[in-house]
Amino acid sequence: MEHRIKVILGAVCLLVGLLPAHIRAQVRVGVGAGRATEAPLSTDELLNYASPKEYEIAGLTVTGTRYLDPNSLVSLAGLKIGDKIRIPGEAVGSSVRKLMESGLLDNVELFATHAGEGKISLTFRAQERPRLYRVSFGGVKKGEQDNLKEKVKLNLGKIVTNTITKNTQMAVRKFFVDKGYLNTKVKITTIPDSTRNNATMRVLVDKGQKVKIAKINFEGLNEVDESAVRMKMKSTKEMRFGRVFSPSKFVPKKYEEDKQKLLEYYNKLGFRDIAIEHDTIINDGARAITLNIKLSEGHKYYYRNIDFSGNYLYTAAQLRSVLGVTKGDVYNPEDLEKRMNGNPGQDLSSQYMDLGYLYYNAQPIEKSIEGDSIDLEIRIFEGKQATINRVILNGNTKTSDHVVMRTVRTLPGQKFSKTALIRTQRELATLGYFDPEKIGINPVPQADGTVDIEYTVEEKPSDQIELSGGWGGYVGFVGTLGLTFNNFSARNIPNLKAWKPLPAGDGQRVQLRFQANGSQYQVYSLSFTEPWLGGRKPNALSVSASHTVYKTFYDANNPASIYQSLQGRTPTGSYTNTAFTVGLGRQLKIPDDYFSLSNSISYQRYDLNNLDLFYIGYKDGISNNLTFNTTLSRNSIDNPQFPRNGSSFTLSGSFTPPYSAWRTTTATEAPKDKYKFVEYHKWMFDASWFQTVFGKLVLNTRAHMGFLGSYNSRTTIGPFERFVLGGSGLAGQGQFALAQDIIGLRGYDDRSVYTADYDRAVDQQSRSQGGVVYNKFVAELRYPVSLNPSATIFVLTFLEAGNNWGSYKQYNPFDLKRSAGFGARIFMPAFGLIGIDYGYGFDKIPGVKDKASGQFHFTIGQQFR
């Protein structure tokens, strides 16, 4: 006969004491009989705690599931057929607890049936939790919904649990609290679909209004100016009219960060004991709060005695000299940390790590504090020297290993060097082939006392396409097509498999460029650079060639005719320029290895045919310009796209043969004979400094100077290679491009800045010839919008001043034309650097500019001057 007994044991069974509260209410344990062959199991036998009985599990089953595997659930319960358990006993409660803690089930019931002498069968009746089918948001805008989905990251198909629901609610609320909506309320409703065991999560959001800061009150400010304290709280500002860039919304996370910045600021000033005693948030209504912050400034501390212990390699006096902290200096823990570990090559750690002491460690200890004085002891552990075992390179999928390894300054067999490690990181960034923000360095110490250095790089597109158009002065519209391959491989040209689309990976540079506006103006140029000639040393070989053709189709006395159609007309004059340059540069070791020296020889052939190019009556003839150039430079800039630190200096001199030493000229000599061989010496100086002001804000200051001269007083300075100042620096296309140096000065018209005596009519012609001296000074504040290598974007504001003089008698370095403005730059690997600026010129230029005005300037490529 079949018996069935069902007893709810939730308050009686041992399970009550074993299960967590949130599980107990979901579990029912019962007793029953199954097949007719099974003997009945009495309730007394199950509830007899005084005499628990041992049973052997004869059967284990799971019922009630549709999507979960019953066998997998049985394994989760921790029981198997043949196990011996005591009833009542912990094994029963433990099996139910494990099933519930898996998070897969919403409810579990356990039934037991007698299966014979000393044997028992157990059946788990399970109710599955629904799976997430869809998430919908209410009370928020479409854009906010998209951001929420990305922020919350709920995976569809995931089992819906109370934890997931609660975490979602907290994440949604935090999303809006971080935007200033402190009173955000979030309600989540789960709508199940029992037919498919799915559930839809409905998230209802009531943002309320943004909470702003009506007032910030400080108490305890005695030693530090209140305005300085308020400035340090950059993201926590009071409401006031006109506040745009730093809104006064209250964001708890930003507020906590600002409090920490405030404490750090006090620490820098020597207030070691600074503390925020308490801060209070007073709700002034649904839309505003008041912050009351009470500070305890304490004393301002100073260094007294600085001692060292554990140092054997250097004396205490030597270490004090490197540390650069003396008695009486303000106690500044942040500055001390930088002096110990933050300035590669100059800090305390570099003194040891540059000699291979990888395991060096120094710990500053406040030995004693008396009044406002602190005695410091720096405890040093020197350790043993480590030798580099292996150099491992990862991530260079395009660039050949030898191109990367030749820039690495940490080679196997050398002693470990911190400065060499940081310098290698800079060299890899300046190659231009890798994302400078993702260059990784990982020293891996080995058991034998050596160290492996692992470099990780990420390739970025480095080739560029220039496709642009612009107005080129007298020649009108000019189109430009340029191709630059920055990581070319000449040796793989015969290897057709390496053409993807061109052979690449050896670090060579090939540039092709074509400019034209039709038949009137055309420029063709080709250059090739091998940065490591021979492959052993950084000796850079460069070869370039260019050809320019310019034709006039109008009467020089009627310039307006340039706008007439050129179709079917015969040119009235022409100018061609053919140029070849060969250069060789090498890296120097003295004064340091940031210096380089390059020398080049160039030849230019100017051919004039019925065209007065320089307004001096030189209309027909051929001029030859053979020049030797030598350039000494130093470059320590950390990043070519957006530098934050470092500097660049360049001093160059260009010299033609002194033809006047063996030939004589007369005042009546024809220009074609006088300028058959161009003669001059030219000096250029360019300097640029980069310094991080704070955060990501960078200050760039620049100075540029140029001087053009003759070898003796008998020879006047010719019209070639003069300086033209004004505008974007891109003007001068057409007939002027290769005969002069074009220098930009924002806020003024192209080619307009020139100092001369305007009482003479000839000075308008002098302006067209250009100056023999120029000075230019620039200060820029730059801030990055995006440092993504696929599109590096930064905005800037600038102050600029410069001038151009037609003779050394007129030269006055304090007579500068000033301007100011703002702009933006975007660097894309495929197109290079593109910029737009608005400049406002403050000074008048006689004959050109009658009053101050502003104008926009467009630039392509890196502007060096």
Side-chain angles (χ1 to χ4, degrees):
M1 183 176 97
E2 188 174 295
H3 300 275
R4 181 172 181 82
I5 307 172
K6 190 171 184 181
V7 181
I8 305 302
L9 301 176
V12 182
C13 186
L14 183 62
L15 295 175
V16 175
L18 296 175
L19 296 180
H22 71 280
I23 294 179
R24 292 179 205 158
Q26 297 174 324
V27 180
R28 293 197 300 163
V29 181
V31 183
R35 296 181 297 273
T37 56
E38 295 174 341
L41 191 63
S42 68
T43 303
D44 291 339
E45 290 180 281
L46 288 177
L47 302 181
N48 190 355
Y49 286 92
S51 179
K53 292 185 177 181
E54 186 175 78
Y55 295 90
E56 179 183 343
I57 299 177
L60 276 172
T61 58
V62 175
T63 62
T65 61
R66 297 178 58 187
Y67 301 97
L68 297 174
D69 180 22
N71 294 326
S72 298
L73 291 177
V74 168
S75 64
L76 287 176
L79 300 176
K80 62 179 181 295
I81 295 176
D83 285 352
K84 293 184 178 180
I85 61 173
R86 288 181 174 273
I87 296 181
E90 181 185 347
V92 176
S94 176
S95 65
V96 176
R97 183 169 64 249
K98 288 178 179 179
L99 287 175
M100 290 299 300
E101 289 177 347
S102 69
L104 301 173
L105 303 173
D106 195 47
N107 190 42
V108 175
E109 295 178 312
L110 176 60
F111 295 90
T113 43
H114 202 292
E117 185 63 32
K119 295 185 178 182
I120 194 170
S121 294
L122 299 177
T123 299
F124 296 94
R125 182 182 295 171
Q127 181 181 343
E128 295 174 327
R129 288 185 181 273
R131 295 179 179 272
L132 187 61
Y133 173 70
R134 187 177 63 177
V135 180
S136 62
F137 294 91
V140 294
K141 300 176 182 178
K142 178 67 168 61
E144 292 173 329
Q145 293 182 27
D146 296 336
N147 293 333
L148 279 172
K149 289 177 181 178
E150 182 178 348
K151 184 77 174 178
V152 177
K153 294 182 180 178
L154 285 171
N155 297 322
L156 300 182
K158 195 173 184 179
I159 293 175
V160 180
T161 64
N162 293 334
T163 301
I164 289 177
T165 303
K166 190 65 176 177
N167 289 343
T168 301
Q169 187 179 33
M170 293 172 60
V172 172
R173 188 177 187 281
K174 182 179 181 300
F175 175 83
F176 287 104
V177 168
D178 288 346
K179 292 182 176 294
Y181 296 94
L182 262 63
N183 301 317
T184 299
K185 297 178 181 179
V186 181
K187 181 180 180 181
I188 296 182
T189 305
T190 302
I191 305 172
D193 182 358
S194 58
T195 59
R196 294 182 294 179
N197 199 40
N198 289 331
T200 298
M201 182 178 288
R202 178 68 173 168
V203 183
L204 297 175
V205 181
D206 180 9
K207 295 188 300 184
Q209 294 178 324
K210 278 189 178 180
V211 175
K212 296 192 175 184
I213 304 171
K215 188 71 177 176
I216 303 177
N217 299 315
F218 290 97
E219 184 181 350
L221 292 176
N222 301 312
E223 301 293 334
V224 180
D225 186 68
E226 183 175 339
S227 61
V229 172
R230 292 183 182 275
M231 285 183 63
K232 293 303 171 183
M233 303 189 69
K234 300 182 183 301
S235 301
T236 308
K237 301 289 186 181
E238 291 180 351
M239 286 190 299
R240 66 173 174 80
F241 178 77
R243 189 180 295 282
V244 177
F245 298 105
S246 53
S248 60
K249 64 182 179 181
F250 180 75
V251 179
K253 180 180 178 182
K254 295 293 184 181
Y255 176 52
E256 294 299 323
E257 293 175 357
D258 282 345
K259 287 195 295 183
Q260 185 60 36
K261 291 176 182 176
L262 180 59
L263 297 178
E264 293 171 358
Y265 174 67
Y266 264 93
N267 289 152
K268 291 179 184 179
L269 298 179
F271 293 91
R272 170 185 175 275
D273 301 327
I274 179 66
I276 297 178
E277 289 190 4
H278 62 77
D279 59 313
T280 307
I281 302 174
I282 302 175
N283 196 335
D284 294 340
R287 300 187 59 182
I289 62 170
T290 294
L291 296 178
N292 293 326
I293 302 174
K294 184 177 182 181
L295 297 173
S296 175
E297 293 178 328
H299 294 293
K300 187 173 185 176
Y301 290 90
Y302 302 86
Y303 291 105
R304 187 169 62 181
N305 298 316
I306 300 178
D307 299 319
F308 293 87
S309 63
N311 54 303
Y312 301 99
L313 188 63
Y314 296 102
T315 65
Q318 290 174 318
L319 295 178
R320 287 193 193 97
S321 176
V322 174
L323 192 64
V325 177
T326 59
K327 184 177 181 179
D329 288 347
V330 173
Y331 181 69
N332 185 344
E334 181 178 326
D335 178 68
L336 180 66
E337 176 61 25
K338 289 180 180 179
R339 292 174 181 270
M340 293 179 62
N341 301 300
N343 194 5
Q346 300 178 22
D347 59 355
L348 201 63
S349 66
S350 295
Q351 301 301 308
Y352 284 92
M353 289 190 174
D354 286 353
L355 295 179
Y357 291 90
L358 172 63
Y359 308 103
Y360 154 88
N361 183 39
Q363 187 69 31
I365 303 297
E366 296 176 356
K367 193 173 181 180
S368 66
I369 301 175
E370 295 182 10
D372 62 354
S373 300
I374 295 179
D375 290 338
L376 202 66
E377 180 184 1
I378 300 179
R379 299 174 182 175
I380 293 177
F381 171 74
E382 294 179 344
K384 296 181 179 180
Q385 286 180 300
T387 303
I388 298 174
N389 178 38
R390 293 187 305 158
V391 176
I392 304 168
L393 179 63
N394 298 318
N396 55 315
T397 57
K398 177 181 178 181
T399 306
S400 302
D401 285 350
H402 73 273
V403 173
V404 183
M405 295 303 295
R406 68 193 183 191
T407 64
V408 171
R409 294 171 177 257
T410 54
L411 302 178
Q414 294 180 343
K415 297 297 183 183
F416 176 84
S417 171
K418 175 184 175 181
T419 300
L421 205 67
I422 302 301
R423 181 66 183 277
T424 298
Q425 185 180 35
R426 174 194 174 272
E427 297 296 330
L428 292 176
T430 55
L431 284 176
Y433 312 144
F434 310 113
D435 181 357
E437 306 296 326
K438 296 183 180 179
I439 296 175
I441 303 176
N442 182 29
V444 184
Q446 303 298 305
D448 58 359
T450 62
V451 59
D452 291 345
I453 308 296
E454 183 177 3
Y455 294 98
T456 304
V457 297
E458 183 176 308
E459 298 268 9
K460 71 171 186 177
S462 58
D463 298 332
Q464 297 174 8
I465 300 175
E466 180 185 350
L467 184 61
S468 62
W471 192 260
Y474 291 125
V475 299
F477 181 82
V478 177
T480 302
L481 174 62
L483 299 174
T484 302
F485 305 100
N486 287 303
N487 198 0
F488 189 72
S489 175
R491 66 184 178 91
N492 282 323
I493 292 178
N495 183 8
L496 297 180
K497 294 182 180 179
W499 288 66
K500 299 178 181 178
L502 290 176
D506 283 347
Q508 297 156 349
R509 178 186 174 95
V510 176
Q511 187 173 33
L512 302 93
R513 204 161 184 263
F514 172 68
Q515 287 184 291
N517 75 335
S519 60
Q520 183 185 15
Y521 168 69
Q522 297 173 4
V523 177
Y524 310 86
S525 64
L526 171 66
S527 66
F528 173 81
T529 302
E530 167 55 77
W532 283 68
L533 183 63
R536 294 186 177 183
K537 294 182 179 180
N539 297 326
L541 172 68
S542 60
V543 181
S544 64
S546 66
H547 182 69
T548 300
V549 178
Y550 172 71
K551 300 176 183 179
T552 57
F553 291 82
Y554 61 95
D555 185 349
N557 296 321
N558 183 20
S561 64
I562 185 176
Y563 299 106
Q564 298 175 6
S565 172
L566 304 179
Q567 185 175 2
R569 301 186 65 186
T570 302
T572 59
S574 65
Y575 153 75
T576 61
N577 180 300
T578 303
F580 299 95
T581 302
V582 178
L584 183 64
R586 63 189 180 93
Q587 190 178 53
L588 302 179
K589 299 295 184 182
I590 299 175
D592 60 41
D593 56 6
Y594 287 109
F595 278 87
S596 63
L597 178 67
S598 63
N599 300 298
S600 66
I601 295 177
S602 65
Y603 170 75
Q604 294 189 67
R605 185 178 186 271
Y606 304 96
D607 189 352
L608 300 176
N609 180 17
N610 194 32
L611 176 64
D612 192 359
L613 180 63
F614 303 109
Y615 299 94
I616 58 174
Y618 182 21
K619 302 175 65 174
D620 295 282
I622 295 175
S623 296
N624 300 278
N625 186 355
L626 179 64
T627 309
F628 171 76
N629 177 275
T630 182
T631 301
L632 178 67
S633 62
R634 185 183 188 274
N635 189 336
S636 61
I637 291 175
D638 61 344
N639 187 322
Q641 270 74 57
F642 186 77
R644 297 177 178 86
N645 292 287
S647 60
S648 173
F649 299 90
T650 301
L651 175 63
S652 68
S654 300
F655 311 93
T656 65
Y659 301 108
S660 60
W662 58 79
R663 65 183 295 267
T664 59
T665 61
T666 63
T668 59
E669 186 175 16
K672 69 176 182 178
D673 297 322
K674 186 177 181 180
Y675 299 119
K676 183 176 182 179
F677 295 99
V678 179
E679 179 181 335
Y680 62 85
H681 60 88
K682 186 176 184 179
W683 302 86
M684 305 290 288
F685 176 75
D686 301 284
S688 181
W689 297 266
F690 292 90
Q691 179 63 51
T692 300
V693 181
F694 56 83
K696 297 180 180 180
L697 187 65
V698 176
L699 173 65
N700 173 219
T701 54
R702 304 196 298 271
H704 308 280
M705 303 176 187
F707 304 89
L708 183 67
S710 59
Y711 288 109
N712 54 65
S713 59
R714 301 189 314 272
T715 307
T716 60
I717 301 174
F720 296 92
E721 296 297 323
R722 289 188 174 227
F723 307 109
V724 176
L725 191 65
S728 64
L730 291 182
Q733 298 184 63
Q735 69 266 46
F736 305 101
L738 297 180
Q740 297 172 323
D741 261 329
I742 311 299
I743 297 107
L745 186 65
R746 292 166 287 189
Y748 296 90
D749 294 332
D750 291 337
R751 307 174 53 85
S752 67
V753 180
Y754 184 77
T755 297
D757 184 357
Y758 287 92
D759 292 336
R760 296 183 301 166
V762 72
D763 286 325
Q764 188 61 37
Q765 298 177 359
S766 299
R767 182 192 303 282
S768 299
Q769 293 178 32
V772 297
V773 185
Y774 94 92
N775 289 170
K776 177 183 174 181
F777 305 95
V778 183
E780 283 185 356
L781 279 174
R782 301 177 171 189
Y783 188 83
V785 177
S786 169
L787 294 177
N788 190 316
S790 61
T792 301
I793 305 171
F794 63 89
V795 294
L796 59 89
T797 181
F798 66 86
L799 297 174
E800 201 161 84
N803 208 344
N804 191 18
W805 294 270
S807 69
Y808 284 95
K809 291 182 179 180
Q810 298 170 346
Y811 178 51
N812 180 1
F814 301 102
D815 177 21
L816 301 176
K817 308 305 179 184
R818 301 159 300 167
S819 66
F822 55 88
R825 297 290 184 274
I826 176 170
F827 177 84
M828 294 183 291
F831 298 99
L833 189 66
I834 300 173
I836 186 170
D837 296 292
Y838 177 81
Y840 188 89
F842 297 103
D843 297 304
K844 296 180 180 180
I845 300 178
V848 177
K849 185 175 182 179
D850 296 329
K851 60 180 180 179
S853 64
Q855 56 184 287
F856 285 95
H857 302 282
F858 179 73
T859 58
I860 301 175
Q862 185 71 47
Q863 304 297 301
F864 297 102
R865 298 188 178 103

